[in-house]
Amino acid sequence: MPTRTALSGRLLYAQSGGVTAVINATAAGVIEAARAKGVQVYAARNGILGALREELIDTTKETRTAVAALRHTPGGAFGSCRYKLKSLEANRAEYERLIEVFRAHDIRWFLYNGGNDSADTALKISQLGKAMDYDIRCIGVPKTVDNDLAVTDCCPGFGSVAKYTAVSTLEASLDVASMANTSTKVFILEVMGRHAGWIAAAAGLAGEGADAPPHIILFPERVFDEQAFLAKVKATVERVGWCTVVASEGIRNAEGQFLAEAGTRDAFGHSQLGGVAPVLAALVKEKLGYKYHWALPDYLQRSARHLASKTDAEQAYAVGQAAVDYALAGMNAVMPVIVRSSDAPYRWKVEPAALHKIANREKKMPGSFLTRDGFGITAAARRYLAPLIQGEAHPPHGRDGLPMYGRLKNTSVTKKLPTFEH
Ligand code: F6P
């Protein structure tokens, strides 16, 4: 593969997987860093699909103000996707098409912003240059509310969902405490996170000590034990007067079945999860007779930019900038990751890590972060989690009382190639 010395060519950026409250801050980091170096950025519409379909967006048409507004705008400004690229051997046509699109638009750097599945896609693309004799550098850019990427200390997107979860647990607990004497005794909050309990764990930041909420956290890292759960709900209501439960969507019974599975699967074969809170609520009502309320914030938790963590927003921006630096420095098959050097004061920096150490791996909560009964978090978990929700990064609000979220023009680049069937 020839090595280029001058910074010629374009950079393509794409968002992938479940979006977050701060993924657009990463986009802002990418675009602003590339602009500063005089490099033109295209964005793919709906992740890798945009690259395959040659649906590209010219970000040079966006004003500086519009790009800056991405820093406080949730969702994925260019659209995202869940789409699995097969291996080069299994579907060479898709890879040839990618190279064809890259070549047609002089794309020399590809930045793929996503979780562990997307890191796998980025890794495959990073190997394309050699296999297909085209000079393309690929950098994975971290993002996921699930916080389950290997190597990095934390994932951009997580700090904000963690803050939303801790704050919501605290606020709803104040509500149920007020009502418990004559009405609701149990409140159940269901959170995302798939097979890792990081988001559920963040709820533990709402309070400390046996009587403080959340009284019970249900982690996917522990088998759901119905008897132990009900006994703890009962004991808490009898002692405290009420009980707050936070349940991860990914909890399973002893047979390994999810308590709540919607019955659908995405392109990566992941079951769609959601609905564990009503299952638990029905159990509490049937076995203990307590009045309950439950909440499933679902997309609210990962889009709650109004309650974002400043730390998270800063890290999301920083990985975007670093990704551009790495790409333009000629790196390939790496991801900018967050490295923590101190808990208090919290100190972090961004460093490159090899994509092959991250792709397709899932980082779960370590045993040392869970209390012995499996229903709470330890001091070590608090030390890890606490800095990630620090600081507020409120979006500006308009006179109508609503946040002033940005909206891009998303001007399409003229297609040069025939349509590709995939
Ligand atoms: O990938 C992050 C995540 O938010 C998971 O926590 C959740 O289970 C999943 O995405 C939902 O995915 P989708 O939006 O594709 O249904």
Side-chain angles (χ1 to χ4, degrees):
M1 194 179 7
T3 324
R4 282 166 301 112
T5 42
L7 290 182
S8 63
R10 295 193 179 92
L11 184 148
L12 181 65
Y13 166 77
Q15 301 177 322
S16 174
V19 294
T20 78
V22 298
I23 187 172
N24 286 334
T26 302
V30 167
I31 296 169
E32 289 177 357
R35 281 186 180 185
K37 299 254 166 72
V39 171
Q40 204 179 355
V41 176
Y42 279 180
R45 216 178 275 279
N46 298 316
I48 196 71
L49 286 174
L52 284 169
R53 296 172 180 158
E54 204 196 356
E55 291 175 358
L56 308 177
I57 291 163
D58 186 354
T59 73
T60 65
K61 304 286 186 221
E62 309 295 342
T63 63
R64 221 190 304 176
T65 314
V67 173
L70 288 174
R71 275 186 94 152
H72 62 254
T73 303
F78 306 109
S80 185
C81 73
R82 291 208 187 271
Y83 185 80
K84 191 173 174 64
L85 280 186
K86 298 205 178 75
S87 68
L88 186 56
E89 298 73 46
N91 196 346
R92 200 176 170 87
E94 269 190 342
Y95 291 91
E96 282 169 354
R97 169 66 176 188
L98 282 177
I99 293 296
E100 199 186 8
V101 172
F102 291 166
R103 205 187 289 276
H105 296 276
D106 198 16
I107 306 294
R108 294 295 178 170
W109 303 281
F110 182 54
L111 269 45
Y112 207 36
N113 196 180
N116 27 31
D117 296 327
S118 317
D120 172 64
T121 305
L123 182 62
K124 286 173 176 154
I125 294 173
S126 72
Q127 294 156 350
L128 266 189
K130 258 202 194 117
M132 297 200 171
D133 195 28
Y134 178 77
D135 190 5
I136 178 81
R137 309 293 159 109
C138 184
I139 311 286
V141 194
K143 162 271 17 163
T144 174
V145 293
D146 297 347
N147 203 39
D148 60 353
L149 285 178
V151 186
T152 188
D153 180 70
C154 63
C155 304
F158 172 67
S160 294
V161 77
K163 190 172 180 106
Y164 177 90
T165 302
V167 171
S168 303
T169 301
L170 177 61
E171 291 178 342
S173 296
L174 292 171
D175 193 310
V176 67
S178 326
M179 304 306 292
N181 190 263
T182 54
S183 181
T184 305
K185 298 258 188 303
V186 177
F187 173 69
I188 302 169
L189 176 70
E190 172 176 336
V191 296
M192 286 181 161
R194 255 199 238 285
H195 313 132
W198 297 102
I199 304 178
L205 294 175
E208 202 166 350
D211 292 352
H215 307 98
I216 301 175
I217 305 177
L218 299 174
F219 297 98
E221 285 84 356
R222 292 284 177 273
V223 171
F224 177 67
D225 178 340
E226 186 178 312
Q227 294 314 317
F229 167 68
L230 289 169
K232 182 137 186 176
V233 172
K234 187 163 186 288
T236 307
V237 172
E238 287 172 358
R239 194 179 70 250
V240 184
W242 51 281
C243 177
T244 293
V245 177
V246 176
S248 168
E249 64 178 5
I251 56 171
R252 300 175 199 240
N253 60 21
E255 284 73 50
Q257 292 154 337
F258 290 113
L259 261 65
E261 198 172 314
T264 48
R265 282 176 190 270
D266 68 15
F268 292 88
H270 303 306
S271 307
Q272 182 173 351
L273 302 174
V276 82
V279 171
L280 294 169
L283 194 64
V284 164
K285 180 74 187 160
E286 186 197 323
K287 303 284 171 138
L288 303 174
Y290 296 139
K291 182 174 178 221
Y292 61 80
H293 271 262
W294 55 265
L296 206 173
D298 200 72
Y299 277 10
L300 302 182
Q301 69 200 286
R302 70 180 203 200
S303 60
R305 183 59 186 77
H306 66 287
L307 204 51
S309 148
K310 183 163 183 269
T311 305
D312 187 35
E314 285 173 359
Q315 292 180 338
Y317 186 80
V319 295
Q321 283 189 309
V324 171
D325 290 346
Y326 298 167
L328 300 188
M331 290 190 200
N332 189 32
V334 295
M335 175 180 274
V337 297
I338 312 283
V339 177
R340 178 188 302 224
S341 51
S342 147
D343 293 324
Y346 179 48
R347 291 207 182 92
W348 59 275
K349 62 183 172 187
V350 178
E351 276 182 4
L355 267 182
H356 72 86
K357 293 189 176 156
I358 300 165
N360 293 321
R361 300 189 190 194
E362 218 174 18
K363 185 169 76 187
K364 303 210 177 160
M365 292 264 294
S368 60
F369 279 15
L370 304 184
T371 52
R372 199 165 304 164
D373 69 0
F375 289 136
I377 58 167
T378 60
R382 279 177 202 284
R383 278 196 298 279
Y384 167 76
L385 293 165
L388 306 182
I389 68 164
Q390 288 308 308
E392 287 68 52
H394 300 299
H397 280 65
R399 284 212 204 122
D400 57 5
L402 294 173
M404 292 162 68
Y405 290 141
R407 223 198 154 105
L408 299 180
K409 289 197 285 258
N410 280 351
T411 308
S412 296
V413 173
T414 307
K415 292 190 181 191
K416 300 182 175 181
L417 300 168
T419 310
F420 175 70
E421 299 301 334
H422 60 89

